[in-house]
Amino acid sequence: MVDWLLPLSVLMGGLIFLMLTGFPVAFCFLTIVTVGTYLLWGGDQGMDIFTRSLFGSISSFTLMPLPMFILMGEVMFRSNIAQDMMDALDKWMGRLPGRLGLVSVAGGTIFSTLSGSSMSSVAMLGSSLVEEMERRGYKKPMSLGPILGSGGLAMMIPPSGLAVLLGAMAGISI
């Protein structure tokens, strides 16, 4: 009944060990999956199934927007386009009371549309706006509320990463 439990626990221990050594996470998972496939799926036959599955998933263009969303978010973050976008929104808003809360919602909407990821949107807004909001006298709940609220917009604004993933799993055309 639990003949797979011991190898699975050894593989999990190996994964933790590889991560603690500083090996990149993607390569840790790839190494453990390859070793686990060989051990648990019957040696060479398991590796054949693994490579066919790997090439089948790589050649599927249904999930292609997901790495592109990640790349778009990373490019926007590293090139400071996101910070420039927030500064432009701040200037467009003028002198409205509570302007930074409105800027966080508008910026979250724009960034969510471009990146398709809730977590990257919240991380970008949090790193760029929380300090400025606290410096201008916003309390912690008033600075984090609009940022976290606008992070949920990425799931609803098409094309979102979650919609692409659910569409691919359900077999619906993206």
Side-chain angles (χ1 to χ4, degrees), residues 4-166:
W4 53 269
L5 192 57
L6 180 63
L8 187 63
S9 62
V10 169
L11 290 172
M12 289 302 294
L15 177 65
I16 292 170
F17 174 75
L18 284 175
M19 286 185 179
L20 289 176
T21 60
F23 205 55
V25 175
F27 295 119
C28 292
F29 279 111
L30 182 64
T31 303
I32 293 299
V33 165
T34 305
V35 170
T37 300
Y38 186 80
L39 293 176
L40 296 175
W41 283 5
D44 292 334
Q45 294 170 344
M47 292 306 292
D48 185 46
I49 294 170
F50 175 65
T51 54
R52 289 176 195 256
S53 171
L54 188 64
F55 285 116
S57 62
I58 289 174
S59 63
S60 169
F61 292 107
T62 309
L63 297 176
M64 187 54 72
L66 296 178
M68 293 298 129
F69 283 150
I70 294 169
L71 179 65
M72 173 67 85
E74 191 67 22
V75 166
M76 288 181 72
F77 181 73
R78 298 286 179 190
S79 64
N80 288 332
I81 292 174
Q83 186 63 38
D84 293 342
M85 177 186 72
M86 299 309 288
D87 292 339
L89 282 173
D90 189 30
K91 290 177 184 171
W92 283 350
M93 292 285 179
R95 293 197 165 273
L96 291 172
R99 176 179 72 235
L100 287 179
L102 298 171
V103 165
S104 67
V105 173
T109 304
I110 293 170
F111 192 76
S112 296
T113 302
L114 295 175
S115 72
S117 171
S118 299
M119 290 184 282
S120 64
S121 176
V122 169
M124 187 276 303
L125 290 171
S127 65
S128 62
L129 282 180
V130 170
E131 294 174 13
E132 180 68 25
M133 291 173 100
E134 287 180 353
R135 199 174 21 198
R136 292 190 187 181
Y138 284 76
K139 301 276 189 227
K140 196 66 134 174
M142 282 304 293
S143 63
L144 294 178
I147 292 171
L148 294 174
S150 65
L153 293 172
M155 290 182 275
M156 295 181 278
I157 298 173
S160 72
L162 184 61
V164 168
L165 184 63
L166 289 175

